[in-house]
Each structure stands twice: as C-alpha cells, then as structure tokens.
C-alpha cells in the first residue's frame, strides 16, 4: 500500500493533530523546520506541510531573519496558542 | 432566460470573449466550473515578457466580466449537455451548491478559519493546505466562500441516532473535545452512553475499515463525553421556554429521553413519566462492565440541566389522563419491558428469573450473588450474553448459554459471543428447553428456528435430548412492549407494538406519537434515540399545525471507492488503543474496555479519511457572522437556449509523474513550473521561495525544459510554446527574490517566438542564468534532499556530467482538457490528432470548429500564451457575432 513518500492529501489531512505539539515545541523560541523535525521526530517534508498550513491560518508566523543554513524560524502566530 | 452566446470557461480567453460580446450588446452566459472566474492567469506571479503583475492585470478583467450588464457569470457550474436544435443550441447547466448564500457572504473568511478539515489547495498546486470551507484565493471573483462537500460520510449516514459522526471525529482531531460533545448533543443527550454501549454501525461502514481497520469512532465519543463530564462542565446556552404547549413523554429510555431533549431544546415544556424508580429505561439492564451507572446519571443530568421534568414511579395507564392534565401532545416511548415467557413445565419455579429483571437487579445493586452456582441462560441474543457474563461476575461456577439457533444464526453479535466464551461462558447451540427441573434443564434438539417465510417457528428434534445442571435459570427469550392497557384506545401491531404512520410516528390517536422499541420491537440505543428525535420533529410539526416533513434530506452517501481513489497510496496505521481486558471468570463489574488516551484519540481521529470532505462539524455555521452557511442547499439544474457557443475551457498541465525519470512525486524537492509560479506569486503558499522538502531557501535551482512536451514517450510531440518563456520569467523573478541563487536551465533549445521574447531570453542570460543544452539521463536524490542531475552535455561533445542542485523545477507543458469531449454527443464536435478542439480552418478562420455556431477560444484549441489567447478569443468573438447576425438577417 505504501512506498516512499506519503500521499500529500494524507499528510495535509493530519495537520490539525500536530498543531498543539508544534506550538508547544516553539514556546522556548522560534525554530526552523529541521529543528522541529529533530525535536518531534517527524520528517522535515511533512513538517513543511504542517508548518505552512498552520502559518496560512494564523497558528504560526515566520521570524524575519534567515539562518546561516538558509532556513527561517517559526513562532506562534497571531491566532495565539491553542 | 435566453442568451445569445454561451461561453464555457472563464480563463483569460473566456473572460475576453464574454466581455467583448457583452460590449457588442449580446447577452452572454459565462459558465465556470471553479468557484472563481480567472482561470490560470490569476494564479500566475507575473507575465512575460513585460513582468506585469498577473493579478493586477487580471482582476480588472475579472471585475469587468462579473459586473458586465450583458454577462451572466455562473461559477461552480458546469455545462452538462449541448444539443443543436433548429439552428440554435439547447444547453443543460448544473450549478453546484456552494452551501453558502452568495448574497449574504461578505468574504470575511471566518468560516474558512474555523473549518476543521484540511485538504490540498488546488489553487496553490497542492503545496499547502486549504480547508473544506474556502475562498479559492484572495482575489477570487466572486469573493464568496464555498464548502467542498462530496456527499454524506458513511459513518454519519449510518448512525441511526443521526449523530454527525464524521463531524465529531474531525473536531476531536483538532482537539476541540467540548465542541465535539456539543455536536453530539445536537442529536441526543446520551453522549456517554452511546460512547460505551452503542454497537457502532458507523464503524462497520467506515471507509478506513477496508485499509487496516475502522476509525474507533465510538471510543472517540466516549473520550469526548468523559472529557466533558470529568471537568464537571455545565451546558451553556440553555433553551428558554418559548411555547405554551406542554408535551408529555411516557417512558424514559433512549427514545423518550431523546424526544424530550429535542423538544425541550426547541422551547417546549416537557415532562417525562417513568413507571420505574429511575429514568433510563433499558439502559439499566446494560451491565456496568459495558456501561457504568454513573455514565447514565451524567447523561440524564443533561436533561435536567435544560429543564426537562422527570417524574419517576409514575406509570401512565390512561392516555386521556395526560390530555386532562393539560398536555397538548404525547410521545409514547415505553420500550419492550415485558419478557417473553417460556411455555414449558417449571418456567415459573422460584429459581427461574427473566433476564430483564435479573440484569436490572444486578445493575441497581439489589441482585443476589450466585457464588458457586451453575447457571443456565436461555436465549441467543445480546441480552442473553449480558446475562451470562453478569452471572459469571456474580460468582457462578459454571454458566451455560442455551441457544436455539446455530452459532451462525445467533442474534447476538459474534464478537459478543466470542468475548463471553473468553470469559468462560459455555455456549450450547441448537438446543431448546423441554422443561425446567429443580436443579437441571431438560433440553431437546432444535434443527431450525425459522420457517420458509423467515418467521420464527422452531423445528425441534425430540429424539435428541440432554439434561444440563442448573441451580439458576435466566430466561432471555425475547421482549415485547407492555401495551395491554392501551389495547382499546390505540391501534396496535403484532406483538403489542404500537402502530404508527411510518414517516410521522403518529399513532391512531391525534396528538399521540410513539417511538423506539415500543414501535419497532427490540433494536438498539442508537436506533431508539433516532426514533425519539424523529418523533420530536413530528410533535413540533403537529403543534405548530404545519405539515410534517422529515428533516432536510442528507446528501447521498460518498462511496468507499470514490474516497479511496483520492490518494495514490495509503500509509497503514492500525488503530491504537488498549484492547478489552477479558479474563476468565471475572469477579467484578469493572469496565472491560479501557478509555482511549488523548494521544490515542488524536491518532485515531487522524486516521479519518474525511469521506464527505466537509465533516458537517458545523464550525463554519457557528463562525459565520452573516448566517450565510446553508448546509441544506442542493444543486440546481436548468436549461437554456443560445445562438452560439464559445468553448474556452483552457488546458491541463502535464502530470509530471508521467515522466518517472525526473522523480516528481518521489523526490520531495522536484516541483513543477506551475508550483514555482505560485511560490513567486504575491499570494504564494509560503512566505517566500522555499524548497518544499525542508523549507530551505534554495541556492541552486535547476530547470528541466520540455517536460511532457516534444516527447514521443509520453505521446506528445507538440511544443507547448509557453514553458520556455515562463521559465525565463521565473528565472528573472528568482534572481530578484533570491539574489544569491544560481539557476541552471537544461534545455533542447529555447523557443522565444513572440514580440520581445528573444530579448527577454537574452536578458535572462545576462542576469546570470546558465543555459545548458543537455538531455537528462537521471536524477538522484541525496539524503539531504539535494538532487544530482546527470545529463548529456550536447554542446561539449555529449559527455555525461553531473551537477547537484537543491531544487529542480520541471517546465511542464500543456495538455488538452478532455472536459470538452462530453459537451456534445460523440462525433458531433471534432478534435485534432492531439485531442484539442479542432479548428476547421485554422489559417483563415481561427476559432471556428466543424459545428456552425460553435467556436473555440484560447488554449482549448492548442498551446498559447496570454496575448495569443486574447487574440484568438477576439477571432472567436468576431465569428460568433457574424454567425448570430447572419441568422437574424431576413433570408
Ligand atoms: C506556470 C505557467 C506560467 C505561465 N506564465 C505565463 C506568462 O507569464 N505569460 C503568458 O502570456 N502566459 C503564461 N502562461 C500561459 C497562460 O497561463 C495561458 O496562456 C492562459 O492561461 C490561457 O488561458 P485560457 O483562458 O485559454 O485557459 P485557462 O487559463 O486554462 O482557463 C480555462 C478556464 O476554463 C475553466 N473550465 C475548464 N473546464 C470547464 C468546464 N467543463 N466547464 C466550465 N469551465 C471549465 C477552467 O476552470 C478555467 O477557469 C503560463 C502558464 C503556466 C502553466
Ligand atoms: S473514514 Fe472518517 S469520515 Fe469516513 S467513515 Fe470512517 S470515520 Fe467516517
Ligand atoms: S516552449 Fe520550450 S520548454 Fe516548452 S515544449 Fe516548447 S521548447 Fe519545450
């Protein structure tokens, strides 16, 4: 049934169940996608879908500066912690 | 309403056609299948070669099209069929329901923000989520929300109690447990009870069942009930009494409680009359290891909180007494409280009990222990199983269950029988009771229980006999309603059941309704609750002297095939959550099924496939300040007649996974040209250009040209004409957005056939893009997500070289949109060899098809860029106008 990457529809569908843990992981400061991936044990690719979905609906927002490795950091967005 | 011209598709070609014809005074019907007009152009970043902002130049056209006095623009609509009739065209149009009142919707997006279902956003090429309630994109015209609803989800459709199962699962997925609780309350107050003791027909139908097992829908409900009750939350927004008519409910089982609940919520003063000393009816016969008494109490408290008066120890013998007391309507929900007796010798002995009495005594704590006894339970249904398992818990040494039916034909659920056996119950199938002795049961063989017509008619084999020891006998041989007292005043059906009019639940006595097992015979909590809800609706209609119409019809159920086809693959995730704790000879009535933990609830609800897409969680309804959401909207169909038709249905993009060599779909940092245009657009899915694999700002970007074009291996020898130029455009925009990035283009040659296009290409080179004439041999993904491109360097002797990039963009080309093929009967409209609409005389009459009066505009006829599409639309317009005028001239 499954080879390699998961279906995008499946990844996106699951975003709501990860909102709280992603926000919680950001309480001690903004994090990049790979930092979140290392902390939470999910793949960076799936986290991009979740982070961008959360960003779109105000749960997260990006910090202005890019890290030396070329990543942005994200923090809890205007909608506040859930 | 009749129109001069039908324009199908509202991309730049369709809009241009509609506006020009409208300007010329023709009445135009513009039909667009998406929820906004604008086509692909509105989704682009900028346009080559001027680098004008695409939305800045598109939006005035969109506004002109939608507001034009001569143009009627229908969005979220499709043309079903076109037939030529007397030189004109008869058109069938279907307008899909948006479930949003377009006049009331202000485009505030509150519904979208509140929605609990996330799906890929097709307007962002699936790079990010959108919600089931959505506004297509920020510049959408009309800027009105739409709810994506594929139908009713199987779980919701199956629930006999009318609970929006998918809705509460999706709320639980978002951690909104209290809202989930409130959603179940819309159907019934028995949230905790159903969370434990429902037989969960929803799970049998759950689409996930065909993967690795259904979503644990019932146990999620148990969690949300416990979450509410454990926090001692009170109900909010209690209903006020707004009606003077009082309603009496007779009986307080699930049907009566739910009828009372629904009527009280509508503002009726409701009194429940219950013969027993506790409300709950048959719930008090469900053993505590399945349904703890405290949970019944918690559910009952919901009714008390909204002001339902419950009078226990108050049997109703005469219905007229209730009318005399001033009640205006009555619901009889008296269940099946009379046990069916065994007609055998010894049936009335003191050691023989009926199951209902036995179970109730056990549950309410007045039952006696059965320490060391040998117990025989007579019956093969769920009540017999409950009795047998309860007897074990009371200390019985041996419990035998004597079933008339064969194992396969037992009315009890097979899993219940298996659980009983695991606990130590012996099941004897195919035996009937011949007589009951003081300490044994005399059995005779039973070969069949039903006659040819399926009626109960046991066939005994008296030559096959045996006796089993039995200190106690519990009879669970069926139940029937205790309606003898009403025999002379109400029409009864077989078995003492109350006869009702099937839709309205009305009995033969005006103002008296009936619901639940008293009408249907023994069913289930959920079915009885559903019947109670229906009776409440009928009472309300009767009291308001309006015709009864059962609640809004649900959308048709979404098929499992349709749901599963939405994904190319599924990651199997067996349901998490502890199994039932079954032990041999259990000693107490502790619940056997453990509660799900919060993490298990999230995990389980995350497995839901969102079958209907919209879950009916009602969050949008609550969030919309304009009260614009109407879930009961339905599609509208109409026919109209037009003089001419312009087909402007545009093109499809090449599906990049059809070129497996390039790794699209397999490699996370391989994207399409359309995705890059979205990343560069002001309304982009991310905050800047990032690679989707890990959110990194890409430093080295490769373009692979002619993906799906000029390629016989995918059946398309044609050049797509736009991808060279859009890639050049993107290269320039990337250098503006990411000044440090390197861009390399692997091409066969650059096709720059338009005014200023070659100069644009030269400019792209001058800005630093590297162009390599190279055929791609292979792309390999590295662990860090980078991509190694192996290519044949044609300009340097064909040597095979490799280069590493952190993002690869496939310049996908144009494909025909096959939608057009179903507008006309097969064979009427001609298509060219590549499946585009055929232009009968492409050179002298561009836009003219083989059908007089039918024209094609833009990319529906083949690859074109925007200026060319607009020109082509102009040609189609001129010809349509000439055709219309020609028909109007006197012969
Ligand atoms: C990545 C990319 C970048 C591009 N950049 C540029 C650029 O910079 N400059 C440029 O000139 N061109 C560019 N193009 C090309 C440009 O997008 C097309 O030339 C243009 O969109 C063609 O317009 P159209 O109206 O023919 O088709 P479309 O834009 O495809 O519009 C067709 C419309 O018909 C609707 N439709 C389809 N089927 C039905 C049906 N059955 N019933 C009702 N409605 C239906 C569709 O929903 C759509 O709204 C680019 C293309 C791509 C893919
Ligand atoms: S997958 Fe979800 S929506 Fe579909 S039937 Fe199961 S619980 Fe309901
Ligand atoms: S426009 Fe360029 S990239 Fe597209 S098919 Fe033609 S040659 Fe290939």
């Amino acid at each position: 049934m499954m080879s390699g990457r998961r279906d995008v529809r499946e990844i996106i569908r699951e975003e709501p169940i990860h909102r709280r843990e992603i926000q919680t992981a950001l309480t001690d400061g903004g994090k990049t996608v790979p930092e979140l991936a290392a902390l939470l044990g999910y793949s960076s690719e799936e986290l991009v879908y979740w982070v961008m979905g959360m960003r779109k609906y105000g749960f997260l927002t990006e910090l202005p500066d890019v890290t030396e490795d070329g990543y942005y950091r994200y923090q809890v967005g205007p909608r506040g912690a859930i | 309403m009749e129109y001069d011209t039908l324009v199908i598709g509202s991309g730049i070609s369709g809009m241009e056609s509609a506006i020009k014809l409208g300007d010329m005074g023709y009445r135009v019907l513009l039909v667009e299948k998406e929820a906004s007009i604008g086509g692909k152009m509105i989704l682009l970043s900028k346009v080559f070669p001027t680098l004008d902002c695409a939305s800045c130049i598109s939006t005035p056209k969109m506004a002109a099209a939608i507001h034009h006095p001569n143009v009627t623009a229908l969005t979220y609509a499709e043309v079903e069929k076109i037939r030529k009739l007397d030189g004109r065209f008869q058109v069938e149009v279907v307008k899909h329901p948006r479930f949003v009142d377009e006049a009331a919707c202000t485009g505030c997006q509150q519904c979208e923000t509140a929605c609990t279902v996330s799906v890929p956003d097709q307007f962002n090429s699936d790079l990010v989520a959108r919600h089931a309630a959505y506004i297509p994109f920020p510049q959408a015209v009309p800027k009105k929300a739409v709810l994506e609803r594929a139908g009713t989800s199987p779980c919701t459709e199956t629930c006999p109690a009318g609970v929006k199962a998918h809705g509460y699962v999706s709320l639980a997925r978002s951690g909104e447990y209290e809202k989930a609780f409130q959603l179940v309350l819309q159907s019934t107050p028995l949230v905790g009870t159903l969370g434990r003791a429902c037989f969960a027909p929803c799970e049998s139908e759950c689409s996930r069942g065909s993967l690795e097992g259904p979503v644990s829908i019932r146990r999620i409900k148990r969690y949300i009930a416990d979450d509410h009750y454990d926090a001692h939350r009170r109900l909010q927004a209690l209903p006020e009494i707004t009606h003077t008519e009082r309603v009496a409910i007779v009986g307080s089982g699930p049907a009566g409680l739910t009828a009372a609940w629904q009527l009280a919520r509508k503002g009726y003063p409701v009194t429940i009359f219950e013969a027993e000393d506790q409300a709950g009816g048959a719930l008090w016969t469900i053993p505590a290891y399945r349904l703890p008494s405290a949970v019944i109490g918690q559910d009952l408290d919901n009714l008390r909180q909204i002001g339902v008066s419950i009078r226990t120890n108050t049997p109703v013998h005469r219905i007229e007494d209730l009318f005399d007391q001033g009640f205006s309507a009555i619901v009889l929900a008296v269940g099946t409280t009379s046990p069916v007796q065994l007609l055998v010798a010894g049936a009335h002995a003191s050691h023989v009990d009926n199951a209902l009495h036995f179970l109730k005594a056990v549950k309410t704590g007045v039952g006696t222990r059965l320490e060391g006894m040998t117990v025989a339970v007579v019956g093969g249904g769920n009540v017999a199983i409950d009795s047998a398992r309860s007897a074990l818990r009371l200390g019985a040494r041996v419990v035998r269950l004597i079933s008339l039916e064969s194992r396969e034909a037992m009315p009890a659920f097979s899993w219940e029988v298996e659980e009983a056996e695991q606990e130590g119950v012996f099941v004897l199938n195919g035996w009937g009771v011949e007589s009951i002795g003081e300490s044994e049961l005399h059995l005779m063989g039973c070969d069949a229980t039903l006659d040819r017509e399926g009626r109960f008619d046991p066939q005994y084999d008296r030559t096959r006999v045996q006796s089993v020891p039995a200190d106690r006998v519990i009879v669970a041989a069926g139940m029937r309603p205790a309606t003898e007292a009403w025999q002379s005043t109400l029409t009864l059906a077989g078995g003492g059941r109350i006869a009702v009019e099937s839709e309205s639940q009305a009995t033969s006595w005006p103002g008296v309704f009936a619901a639940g097992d008293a009408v249907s015979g023994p069913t289930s909590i959920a079915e009885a609750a559903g019947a109670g809800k229906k009776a409440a609706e009928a009472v309300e209609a009767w009291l308001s002297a309006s015709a009864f119409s059962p609640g809004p019809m649900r959308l048709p159920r979404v098929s499992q095939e349709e749901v599963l086809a939405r994904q190319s693959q599924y990651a199997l995730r067996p349901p998490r959550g502890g199994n039932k704790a079954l032990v041999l000879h259990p000693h107490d009535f502790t619940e056997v099924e453990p509660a799900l933990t919060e993490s298990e609830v999230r995990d389980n609800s995350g497995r839901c496939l969102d079958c209907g897409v919209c879950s009916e969680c009602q969050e949008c309804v609550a969030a919309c300040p304009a009260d614009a959401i109407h879930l009961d909207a339905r599609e509208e169909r109409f026919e109209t007649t037009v003089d001419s038709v312009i087909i402007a249905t545009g093109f499809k993009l090449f599906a990049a996974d059809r070129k497996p060599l390039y790794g699209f779909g397999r490699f996370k940092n391989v994207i399409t040209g359309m995705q890059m245009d979205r990343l560069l657009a002001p309304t982009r899915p991310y905050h800047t250009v990032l690679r989707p694999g890990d959110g990194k700002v890409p430093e080295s970007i490769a373009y692979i040209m002619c993906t799906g074009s000029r390629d016989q291996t995918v059946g398309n020898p044609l050049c797509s004409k736009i991808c060279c130029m859009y890639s050049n455009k993107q290269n320039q925009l990337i250098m503006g957005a990411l000044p440090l990035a390197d861009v390399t283009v692997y091409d066969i040659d650059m096709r720059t056939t338009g005014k200023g296009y070659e100069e644009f290409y030269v400019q792209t080179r001058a800005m630093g893009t590297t162009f390599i004439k190279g055929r791609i041999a292979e792309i390999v993904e590295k662990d860090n997500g980078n991509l190694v491109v192996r290519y044949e360097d044609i300009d340097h002797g064909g040597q095979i070289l490799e280069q590493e990039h952190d993002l690869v963009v496939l310049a996908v080309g144009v494909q025909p949109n096959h939608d057009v093929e179903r507008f006309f009967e097969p064979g009427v409209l001609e298509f060219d060899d590549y499946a585009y609409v055929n232009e009968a005389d492409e050179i002298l009459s561009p836009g003219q098809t083989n059908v007089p009066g039918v024209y094609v505009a833009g990319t529906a006829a083949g690859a074109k860029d925007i200026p060319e599409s607009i020109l082509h639309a102009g040609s189609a317009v001129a010809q349509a106008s000439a055709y219309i005028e020609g028909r109007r001239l006197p012969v």
Side-chain angles (χ1 to χ4, degrees):
Chain A
M1 274 265 161
M2 179 66 195
S3 65
R5 298 167 73 192
R6 293 207 295 155
D7 195 283
V8 169
R9 195 177 181 94
E10 185 167 288
I11 302 169
I12 283 179
R13 190 168 54 230
E14 290 171 10
E15 180 245 295
I17 62 176
H18 299 292
R19 282 182 197 153
R20 205 196 299 158
E21 60 180 329
I22 291 174
Q23 283 198 335
T24 308
L26 298 173
T27 41
D28 59 349
K31 293 193 174 48
T32 65
V33 166
E35 284 165 356
L36 281 169
L39 197 69
L40 300 174
Y42 300 118
S43 78
S44 286
E45 183 200 5
E46 300 199 353
L47 269 159
V48 170
Y49 285 108
W50 300 334
V51 164
M52 293 307 163
M54 289 175 70
R55 183 188 163 274
K56 179 170 173 180
Y57 290 107
F59 296 107
L60 294 183
T61 188
E62 66 282 0
L63 286 162
D65 297 325
V66 74
T67 65
E68 273 188 8
D69 302 338
Y71 294 96
Y72 283 88
R73 290 203 166 91
Y74 301 89
Q75 62 179 6
V76 173
R79 215 163 143 171
I82 48 170
Chain B
M1 177 85 182
E2 293 199 349
Y3 302 91
D4 297 310
T5 304
L6 163 73
V7 177
I8 315 172
S10 71
I12 189 62
S13 314
M15 290 193 295
E16 182 66 15
S17 304
I19 294 166
K20 284 286 173 308
L21 283 165
D23 288 348
M24 291 158 86
Y26 296 108
R27 291 157 310 159
V28 179
L29 175 64
L30 176 63
V31 177
E32 167 57 52
K33 74 171 182 190
E34 294 294 348
S36 168
I37 61 170
K40 291 185 193 64
M41 183 176 166
I42 185 65
L43 301 174
L44 301 178
S45 51
K46 297 197 174 188
V47 293
F48 59 76
T50 55
L51 294 189
D52 284 315
C53 151
S55 49
C56 309
I57 57 175
S58 274
T59 38
K61 284 262 182 231
M62 292 160 80
I66 203 103
H67 296 306
H68 201 295
N70 287 335
V71 178
T72 303
L74 289 184
T75 50
Y76 219 45
E78 279 178 274
V79 169
E80 292 267 279
K81 256 297 123 337
I82 306 175
R83 275 184 214 89
K84 196 158 189 179
L85 208 73
D86 303 329
R88 304 190 77 205
F89 298 92
Q90 216 175 34
V91 183
E92 281 173 40
V93 179
V94 53
K95 175 123 180 61
H96 303 298
R98 277 177 179 264
F99 302 100
V100 170
D101 176 350
E102 286 191 49
C105 172
T106 60
C108 70
Q109 249 175 321
Q110 303 269 12
C111 56
E112 180 168 359
T113 308
C115 178
T116 58
V117 173
S118 297
V119 294
D121 180 1
Q122 71 270 41
F123 300 103
N124 270 311
S125 301
D126 293 356
L127 285 169
V128 72
R130 70 159 167 81
H131 287 168
Y134 67 103
I135 290 180
F137 38 85
Q139 322 88 328
V141 173
K143 194 169 179 191
K144 307 287 179 190
V146 50
L147 269 55
E148 184 180 353
R149 298 185 69 194
T152 303
S153 299
C155 50
T156 299
E157 207 249 5
T158 310
C159 178
V163 172
K164 294 191 169 64
H166 181 194
Y168 76 71
V169 169
S170 79
L171 283 162
R173 183 171 54 196
S174 303
E176 299 282 9
Y177 306 122
E178 180 57 24
K179 286 179 176 168
F181 180 83
Q182 297 295 334
L183 184 69
V184 182
L185 282 185
Q186 286 188 8
S187 300
T188 175
L190 305 175
V191 193
T193 298
L194 286 171
R196 287 169 163 88
C198 181
F199 296 125
C202 52
E203 294 184 16
S204 319
E205 298 299 315
C206 173
S207 302
R208 191 94 209 181
S210 64
L211 297 174
E212 75 293 83
V215 173
S216 304
I217 307 173
R218 176 181 57 76
R219 292 174 78 182
I220 293 173
K221 182 155 65 231
R222 172 177 167 178
Y223 181 90
I224 60 182
D226 290 353
D227 180 72
H228 174 88
Y229 293 135
D230 292 351
H232 302 291
R233 288 193 204 107
R234 308 287 297 167
L235 299 181
Q236 305 294 317
L238 301 181
E240 282 175 23
I241 293 186
T242 49
H243 297 277
T244 47
E245 300 94 340
R246 293 162 59 217
V247 183
I249 311 282
V250 184
S252 68
L257 292 173
T258 303
W261 172 254
Q262 292 294 348
L263 286 161
R265 280 161 55 100
K266 297 270 167 59
Y268 288 94
V270 181
T271 306
I272 297 180
F273 294 87
E274 168 56 56
E276 298 287 323
D277 53 2
Q278 294 197 72
L283 301 183
W284 289 104
T285 61
I286 300 174
Y289 64 83
R290 291 207 291 125
L291 177 63
S293 307
V295 176
I296 305 175
Q298 289 166 331
D299 283 347
L300 286 173
D301 194 46
N302 291 329
L303 288 123
R304 297 206 176 86
Q305 285 185 53
I306 68 164
V308 173
S309 154
I310 303 180
R311 291 168 61 181
T312 50
N313 293 317
T314 316
V316 172
H317 300 297
R318 285 159 38 92
I319 294 169
E320 50 272 45
D321 289 351
L322 294 175
F323 284 120
D324 291 347
Q325 288 171 37
F327 289 100
S328 305
I330 297 161
V331 178
L332 304 175
V334 292
T336 49
T337 51
S338 279
V340 172
Q341 307 288 345
L342 284 185
L343 301 173
V344 299
H348 298 288
S350 61
H351 66 299
V352 180
D353 199 355
N354 76 68
L356 291 182
H357 177 262
F358 167 74
L359 288 170
K360 187 154 188 207
V362 173
K363 180 126 178 176
T364 51
V366 297
T368 48
R369 300 281 308 165
L370 302 173
E371 224 64 62
M373 286 191 177
T374 299
V375 176
V377 177
V378 180
N382 295 318
V383 176
I385 300 279
D386 282 346
S387 305
R389 294 175 72 179
S390 295
L392 281 179
R393 285 169 169 78
L394 291 173
R397 190 171 52 83
V398 178
V399 177
R400 289 190 183 83
L401 189 136
I402 320 291
S403 168
L404 271 183
E405 295 87 0
S406 65
R407 178 74 176 224
E408 301 71 44
M410 282 177 80
F413 290 106
S414 58
W415 52 266
E416 285 217 293
V417 183
E418 284 156 22
E419 285 179 13
E421 286 180 327
Q422 285 177 45
E423 290 186 343
V425 173
F426 296 105
V427 179
L428 278 67
N429 289 104
W431 294 98
V433 179
E434 198 269 324
S435 63
I436 302 174
E438 256 174 46
S439 57
E440 70 277 286
L441 210 54
H442 304 293
L443 306 178
M444 54 190 167
C446 178
D447 298 334
T449 49
L450 303 177
D451 66 12
R452 282 213 198 109
E453 272 80 47
R455 285 178 302 231
F456 185 68
D457 181 19
Q459 303 296 309
Y460 294 110
D461 173 2
R462 290 174 192 277
T463 62
R464 197 155 59 82
V465 293
Q466 69 164 319
S467 296
V468 292
D471 307 322
R472 282 289 289 273
V473 179
I474 300 163
V475 180
M479 301 163 300
R480 44 176 289 157
T483 48
E484 295 77 13
W486 303 331
Q487 229 161 7
S488 55
T489 46
L490 279 182
T491 306
L492 298 181
R497 288 176 294 119
I498 304 173
V500 294
E501 202 274 310
S502 70
E503 274 306 313
S504 70
Q505 310 274 108
T507 69
S508 53
W509 191 335
V512 180
F513 299 78
D517 287 6
V519 171
S520 55
T523 57
S524 65
I525 306 171
E527 279 165 282
K533 186 166 171 238
K534 199 164 135 193
E537 285 162 12
V539 167
E540 199 191 356
W542 193 77
L543 289 176
S544 57
S546 55
F548 174 73
S549 68
M553 292 296 286
R554 286 192 167 140
L555 292 178
R557 172 185 180 142
V558 197
S559 76
Q560 204 178 78
E561 296 71 44
E562 180 186 334
V563 173
L564 295 180
R566 291 181 194 145
Q567 281 181 218
S568 57
Q569 56 179 357
Y570 287 86
L572 297 188
R573 274 195 0 208
R576 274 178 56 212
N579 291 329
K580 289 182 182 169
L582 298 177
V583 294
L584 196 60
H585 283 254
H587 291 297
D588 60 27
F589 284 82
T590 311
E591 263 190 292
V592 289
E593 185 178 65
L596 294 180
T597 62
E598 185 182 8
S599 130
E600 288 163 350
V601 166
R602 294 283 183 112
D603 198 68
N604 256 298
S605 51
R607 296 170 56 242
C608 168
L609 298 171
D610 290 327
C611 298
V613 187
C614 158
S615 70
E616 301 183 69
C617 71
Q618 316 272 325
E619 284 297 278
C620 54
V621 179
C624 176
D627 205 11
I629 313 280
H630 296 299
L631 292 176
D632 50 358
R634 292 298 176 261
E635 71 175 23
E636 293 164 27
R637 288 171 177 274
F638 68 91
E639 277 195 12
T640 186
T641 310
V642 296
D643 286 325
S644 64
V645 177
I646 293 183
I647 298 168
T649 44
F651 64 100
K652 295 270 187 227
L653 284 161
F654 175 73
D657 55 359
R658 285 183 56 209
K659 241 358 238 183
L661 176 71
Y662 298 162
F664 182 80
R666 259 186 315 132
F667 303 153
K668 41 193 180 283
N669 292 316
V670 176
I671 65 172
T672 66
M674 190 68 208
Q675 289 181 316
M676 181 52 98
D677 238 283
R678 289 306 303 144
L679 289 175
L680 289 161
T683 56
R684 55 190 153 227
Y686 309 159
H687 46 100
T688 181
V689 178
L690 303 172
R691 62 180 197 169
D694 58 2
K696 182 171 178 260
V697 178
E699 288 167 12
S700 166
I701 304 173
Y703 272 75
I704 297 181
M705 307 309 295
C706 299
T707 304
S709 315
R710 304 169 72 187
D711 185 349
Q712 288 288 10
T713 66
V714 294
N716 183 25
L718 297 180
C719 166
S720 289
K721 290 166 80 176
I722 56 168
C723 10
C724 277
M725 284 306 293
Y726 80 59
S727 301
N728 271 279
K729 168 191 78 178
Q730 292 179 1
N731 296 170
Q732 294 200 14
L733 295 176
I734 287 168
M735 291 189 219
L738 312 173
L740 300 179
D742 293 328
V743 183
T744 307
V745 175
Y746 298 91
D747 65 75
I748 310 173
D749 53 19
M750 270 289 133
R751 302 228 165 149
T752 53
T753 52
K755 188 175 156 196
Y757 289 10
E758 181 65 16
E759 291 75 6
F760 192 75
Y761 163 54
V762 171
Q763 191 179 17
T764 312
R765 285 193 96 103
M767 286 173 78
T769 297
T770 307
F771 287 84
I772 296 177
K773 193 182 283 285
R775 242 198 302 266
I776 305 303
E778 191 181 21
I779 299 181
V780 176
E781 186 184 51
K782 293 179 64 176
D783 286 346
N784 63 0
N786 286 359
L787 299 143
V788 179
V789 175
R790 292 190 84 204
Y791 63 99
E792 182 190 357
D793 190 341
I794 296 168
D795 278 344
H796 297 93
Q799 52 181 327
I800 304 293
L801 298 176
E802 285 186 354
Q803 200 164 323
E804 188 170 328
H805 301 279
D806 45 18
L807 183 66
V808 168
V809 183
L810 305 178
V812 287
V814 168
Q815 298 272 293
N817 177 359
H818 292 284
D819 273 11
V820 190
E821 290 162 15
R822 54 180 176 77
F823 295 155
F824 294 87
E825 289 301 326
V828 174
L829 187 70
E830 288 176 3
F831 296 89
D832 66 19
D833 292 347
Y834 310 101
Y836 292 100
V837 178
N838 195 37
E839 291 171 276
D841 188 352
E842 202 172 331
I843 298 175
L844 294 181
S845 297
Q848 187 176 322
T849 71
N850 67 303
V851 183
V854 178
Y855 306 93
V856 57
T859 51
K864 288 173 190 60
D865 60 21
I866 294 165
E868 219 186 328
S869 299
I870 293 178
L871 270 172
H872 197 246
S875 174
V877 163
Q879 301 200 54
S881 152
Y883 178 82
I884 298 169
E885 294 306 322
R887 277 178 41 81
R888 289 177 187 173
L889 287 175
V891 179

